[in-house]
């Protein structure tokens, strides 16, 4: 098992991962650190635990919004396919024999 060293809010953490995944975890750690710093800048230093909780909830809110957008897109794609099929049926009926 490999290990990625990330730093969040001034504290270093060693995170176990599959070999080769270290750069991804380091990048995610940098995103987490940036979000924690954004929250601290607007809400103040709430302590590491609360800042991490707020950052996690913030990311989960974004994920939920993205999932909802994906579901809406899937519904629209289905409706578009249905309409395209209907248009083909109508075009076939209207075509001279």
């Amino acid at each position: 098992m490999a290990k990625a060293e990330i730093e969040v809010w001034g504290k270093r953490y060693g995170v176990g991962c599959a070999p080769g995944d270290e750069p991804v975890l380091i990048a995610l750690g940098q995103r987490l650190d940036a979000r924690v710093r954004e929250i601290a800048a607007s809400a103040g230093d709430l302590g590491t635990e609360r800042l991490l909780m707020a950052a996690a909830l913030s990311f989960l809110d974004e994920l939920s919004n993205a999932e909802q957008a994906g579901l809406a897109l899937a519904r629209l794609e289905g409706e578009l396919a249905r309409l395209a099929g209907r248009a083909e049926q109508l075009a076939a009926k209207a075509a001279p024999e």
Side-chain angles (χ1 to χ4, degrees):
M1 176 171 279
K3 189 174 178 182
E5 293 290 329
I6 63 172
E7 185 174 327
V8 179
W9 197 237
K11 185 172 180 182
R12 296 189 69 75
Y13 300 89
V15 181
C17 61
D21 285 349
E22 300 92 342
V24 173
L25 280 175
I26 291 168
L28 291 172
Q30 290 168 341
R31 287 181 63 191
L32 177 58
D33 184 59
R35 184 63 56 94
V36 166
R37 291 179 185 285
E38 287 173 18
I39 293 167
S42 65
D45 185 351
L46 308 171
T48 303
E49 187 175 300
R50 284 193 172 125
L51 286 170
L52 289 171
M53 178 64 74
L57 290 171
S58 174
F59 282 127
L60 287 170
D61 182 52
E62 286 181 14
L63 177 61
S64 177
N65 291 338
E67 288 170 342
Q68 290 173 9
L71 290 174
L73 180 59
R75 282 193 296 270
L76 288 173
E77 288 172 341
E79 182 65 10
L80 182 58
R82 186 189 69 76
L83 291 172
R86 181 69 179 135
E88 287 176 8
Q89 289 174 349
L90 292 173
K93 283 184 180 178
E97 293 185 27

